[in-house]
Structure formats: C-alpha cells, structure tokens
Amino acid sequence: MLSRLCTVLVLVTAMISSAVPARAYTLQFTDSSSKAQIKWPSHTINVAFSSSLAAPPANFKAGSDVVGALRRALANWSEAADIEFTESWSKEQSISAGGGSGDGISLITIAGTQDNAAPFIGASSEMSGRTRVFFTRSGSITEADIVLNPYQQFSTDGTTGTYDLEATFMHEIGHLLGLEHSSAVSATMQPRQGKNGIYSLPAFTPRSLSEDDRAGVRSIYGMRPESAKARGAVTGAVSYHTGVPAFGASVWAEEVSTGKVAATSITLTNGTYLIENLLPGKYRLKVESLDGLVLAAEIASQRGVYAGLATSTQMAFRTAEIGQVSVRADRTVKLDAQLSDQPLQLNPTLIGFNGQLSTLSVPLAPSRVYTIYVGGDGLSLKNLAAEGGVSVTSPYLTVNPSSLAQQQFGAGISVISFDVAVSENAPAGDYSLRLQSASGEVAYIVGGLTVDAAGNVTNPW
Ligand SMILES: [Zn+2]
C-alpha cells in the first residue's frame, strides 16, 4: 500500500520455536560427533494422538478443528517423502519427562499438565511447541513426543495474537522426522514462527512445505515411489581466503529459470556442503554467513555441537555468488567456493511489510504490487548501487527503482522501502531479495518473499 510509505515502522518480535535434540538435515546427515543422520528406522511411523486433542483446553480457540489440523500436517509431510504415519489414540496426557529413555510411545499432546508445561519455562515461554526426540547411538529414532505450549493461545482461523495450529504442527512434525532448522526464511523449518497478525496477515506460510523442506525430508527418507523422478546433487567445499574451511556457512541453490529457492545446506567442519534432490536443470549457487535474518545459534543443534558458531567472528563473511551449475539426473556436480577477505558491510537482518519489520517471509499474491521494507547494516540509499541496488533474482518479480526510499527507524538500523511487482504468471514458491552496494558487495534475504499458490493466497493487500 503506497499510502503506508511514511508509516512509522514497528519491529515485531518473531517468536523462536525450537526443539530438543535433533540433528540437521542441512548438516548433510553427519556432524563431528555422530556418524549418522537422526532418522526413523522404518518408513512407517506410529504416532499416538492424546485424547486431549479431542477435548482441547481453554488456550485453544473454541471450535478449532485440532485433530483436522494435525491430520493435514501429517499428510503434508507424508506426501513429500516416502513416509507413512499410522495413527492411534491414547489416554496419555503428558509427554515423557526428561531423562535418557522414553516410554516408546510417540505422543502428540495439547494437555495443560505440569509435565507438558515444564519445557516452556523461562526462555522457552514464548515457543509454540516443542518436540523431544529419543534416538539410539547409531541415530535410530525410537520415540518422538510433540507438546504444544499450554501458556500460548492457538487457533485455526488466523485470529490475531494466536499461533496457527496447523503451522505449529507442521514445524514440530519436521523435528519428529529428524529435521533441524533451515536457513531459508520461508521454510516451515525456519527457526522462528510468527503469531497471526504479523504484517496484519494470518501466519499460514509454514502450513505449506517449501522446496527446501521437501528436499530435506527427501534426503532422509527418499521420494515416494509413485512420484520418484531422477534427481541430481551438487557438492563442494567452501573455504576462507586463507584456505581454512568455512564451517557453518549457508549454501543455497536457486533455479535459474524461475529464481525460486530450490534447497539450502550448511557446511560441515571441513567446509563441505551437499544439496541433494534437485530436479535436472540449471541452478545458481550462493553462500552467505548465518548472521543475517537467520542466526547460526538458531540453526545449531541444542546439543551444543554448533554452539561455537554463534559467537565466532569468523562467520561474518561477505555473501558470495559461487556460480552456475547444470544438474543432471543421478549425477553429483562439484562446485567449490572461496570467500572474500573483504569485511562484511551490507547485512540485511529484517524484512517487512505493512509498516512492520520482522524476520518472517512476506507472503505475496500474483498480479499485485507490494511495498517491502528491508532493515539492517549498510542499507542507505547512498550506499546502494544506483542501478540494481535492490532486485529480486527472478524474472517474475520486479523492483521499481524509482520507488526506493529511505525510512526512519532508529535503533541503529537503516531501513529502506521499495515496490515489488509480482507478475500474473509467477510460480508459487520462495524468492530471494538481492542487495548490491555501490562498491559491488552483494547480500541476500534468502526466501524473503513467498508467492502463494493461486487459491491459497493469504495476502489480500
Ligand atoms: Zn524448531
């Protein structure tokens, strides 16, 4: 809305929802302390629906279809990969308490018991839900319990100030499957879940899996046999200019034809990345440090393996456009990258819409024009390149250069705004904003804009 250009911007705190032990698919199945990706040993996973789901407590908006939201979420994940869920009902109300081993029942519960409230004390009080995964030394999951925060409000109709139930279930089921957080802002496995009302919109984006979520779950469980298509992969090593491997860098692949984000990966201690399950075609590969919109600490496993990433000053490197690759079926292409020794000066940390700045992707609809905000370091109009200073790396989304404006925000953050036109035939998916400074430095907001599928549009503005 053009009339909102001069609105005072409001910083909306996005709530961080994260889970207990689970390792990252983005870490390519292995990390320094474990040889195996955490996964279920079977493609059939038994989940127990707590009877609390059929009689929701008072923190669920009356009339919400809790069981329907859960079944839709399970079905969405099941459609994306070669997994089936079998459902049974249980009188159990509470998840397995802390300690080494569970009770073998993977319970999904919303009961407001003391045991269920325990994971949400203190720093976790704003989280929507948590998942506790039990697994063997070799990485086989034996049990995973999901509990929703008894102190938070939930709904299924977009009620402002509540968490969307289906979006919450989607994220937690990802953890139940062994997935960790994603660095793509638009992914269901993004570490932060917004409440309904951010950008004055319902927070439904995590209800649908992004391409990155699909690539992740397929990396672990494979494609469903009926939808299996030949896929290829890209691998390589990222190093600093000194030759030292760059650990914990976020590498992503973008389709050349559409500009859509295809998949992301985080580099291992030896600097290598692996992006699998790519359809044959041309991709652009890029790498950024995790100190922008998504922080290393949020990607990191809570087991502490990656805790050092959060404070490592080495992590703050300039985004690099690694190059373009042709992915072929059943082949793995290799592409290495060396990072610049120039200091990071352009660093977007917030995106916004409707007068609000946040860390959540902005949902867009085809055939419309939106005013988008970006905040962070080095984002003054003076500092940005006169031509191509702000763009979307897609032929379907166009930034109007004459709409670029500096906004007042304070808090040491520079904020700009600009209009983005979405073409009528823009494919549903996630797109990235590209910023370029006058000196040639580039920075991205990976998956910062999500084009909703026709018939599933959440942004009426
Ligand atoms: Zn999480």
Side-chain angles (χ1 to χ4, degrees):
M1 304 296 283
L2 292 174
S3 59
R4 290 183 174 252
L5 266 172
C6 299
T7 315
V8 177
L9 293 169
V10 180
L11 178 62
V12 181
T13 315
M15 301 315 174
I16 298 168
S17 160
S18 77
V20 212
R23 279 200 191 76
Y25 69 90
T26 42
L27 293 159
Q28 308 170 17
F29 314 139
T30 61
D31 62 39
S32 53
S33 73
S34 170
K35 291 277 177 278
Q37 161 72 37
I38 304 297
K39 63 180 282 192
W40 287 89
S42 158
H43 290 255
T44 303
I45 300 161
N46 300 313
V47 291
F49 284 27
S50 163
S51 56
S52 59
L53 294 163
N59 57 319
F60 289 75
K61 187 178 175 182
S64 299
D65 180 10
V66 176
V67 176
L70 176 56
R71 284 188 179 136
R72 282 192 296 278
L74 290 167
N76 274 345
W77 280 107
S78 182
E79 264 167 42
D82 191 14
I83 38 173
E84 299 287 346
F85 292 99
T86 59
E87 161 195 331
S88 61
W89 283 86
S90 168
K91 288 201 185 91
E92 289 289 337
Q93 301 297 298
S94 298
I95 56 164
S96 296
S101 61
D103 57 8
I105 297 167
S106 294
L107 190 73
I108 301 175
T109 179
I110 59 170
T113 65
Q114 213 165 10
D115 280 348
N116 289 350
F120 301 102
I121 289 166
S124 312
S125 65
E126 285 296 330
M127 287 182 182
S128 57
R130 295 191 77 171
T131 302
R132 177 146 207 244
V133 181
F134 297 88
F135 51 89
T136 66
R137 204 174 272 194
S138 62
S140 274
I141 299 177
T142 53
E143 176 185 339
D145 298 326
I146 293 176
V147 58
L148 267 49
N149 190 340
Y151 304 122
Q152 292 292 330
Q153 305 290 314
F154 294 89
S155 71
T156 51
D157 62 358
T159 300
T160 296
T162 67
Y163 279 116
D164 182 63
L165 197 49
E166 193 172 328
T168 304
F169 281 137
M170 283 296 291
H171 182 91
E172 298 307 325
I173 293 165
H175 287 313
L176 173 145
L177 290 169
L179 296 179
E180 248 290 357
H181 289 143
S182 164
S183 57
V185 179
S186 48
T188 295
M189 295 315 292
Q190 204 259 52
R192 302 166 197 177
Q193 182 183 358
K195 286 182 179 171
N196 289 309
I198 289 180
Y199 306 142
S200 305
L201 294 172
F204 290 166
T205 301
R207 285 186 180 189
S208 320
L209 293 176
S210 68
E211 286 305 320
D212 180 49
D213 299 309
R214 288 194 193 96
V217 74
R218 286 168 182 168
S219 295
I220 304 179
Y221 300 101
M223 302 276 294
R224 296 189 71 81
E226 68 271 20
S227 58
K229 282 193 195 124
R231 306 257 167 166
V234 188
T235 190
V238 180
S239 56
Y240 293 104
H241 70 283
T242 54
V244 172
F247 169 42
S250 173
V251 180
W252 78 101
E254 169 183 290
E255 283 181 8
V256 170
S257 59
T258 61
K260 289 204 297 188
V261 178
T264 65
S265 172
I266 310 286
T267 57
L268 299 180
T269 47
N270 63 3
T272 59
Y273 69 91
L274 171 65
I275 300 179
E276 294 184 294
N277 273 285
L278 295 172
L279 282 168
K282 287 195 169 66
Y283 295 87
R284 282 186 289 263
L285 271 283
K286 303 166 195 197
V287 57
E288 66 171 0
S289 60
L290 288 172
D291 64 346
L293 235 64
V294 177
L295 301 173
E298 298 166 350
I299 296 285
S301 156
Q302 292 195 354
R303 311 197 80 201
V305 180
Y306 298 96
L309 288 179
T311 49
S312 166
T313 50
Q314 264 196 314
M315 284 304 298
F317 57 82
R318 282 191 175 190
T319 299
E321 295 171 322
I322 307 175
Q324 191 170 311
V325 291
S326 278
V327 170
R328 287 195 284 163
D330 304 317
R331 297 280 178 85
T332 299
V333 197
K334 213 165 167 291
L335 190 62
D336 295 339
Q338 191 160 46
L339 301 170
S340 161
D341 61 346
Q342 299 292 305
L344 173 74
Q345 285 167 334
L346 190 62
N347 192 22
T349 52
L350 295 165
I351 186 165
F353 174 68
N354 248 341
Q356 298 178 338
L357 282 169
S358 183
T359 55
L360 302 171
S361 103
V362 180
L364 308 177
S367 309
R368 288 173 194 259
V369 178
Y370 298 90
T371 300
I372 302 295
Y373 302 89
V374 172
D377 300 325
L379 288 169
S380 67
L381 290 188
K382 208 170 56 191
N383 188 37
L384 290 170
E387 213 167 295
V390 183
S391 60
V392 182
T393 50
S394 166
Y396 299 102
L397 288 93
T398 313
V399 173
N400 176 0
S402 66
S403 66
L404 261 170
Q406 194 81 46
Q407 297 290 330
Q408 298 305 312
F409 185 67
I413 296 171
S414 45
V415 176
I416 54 165
S417 68
F418 47 87
D419 291 352
V420 177
V422 185
S423 78
E424 178 189 17
N425 55 345
D430 306 317
Y431 298 86
S432 304
L433 276 165
R434 181 183 187 273
L435 303 154
Q436 183 169 358
S437 74
S439 67
E441 180 178 1
V442 296
Y444 281 82
I445 297 179
V446 183
L449 302 174
T450 298
V451 173
D452 288 328
N456 199 21
V457 168
T458 54
N459 193 339
W461 293 90

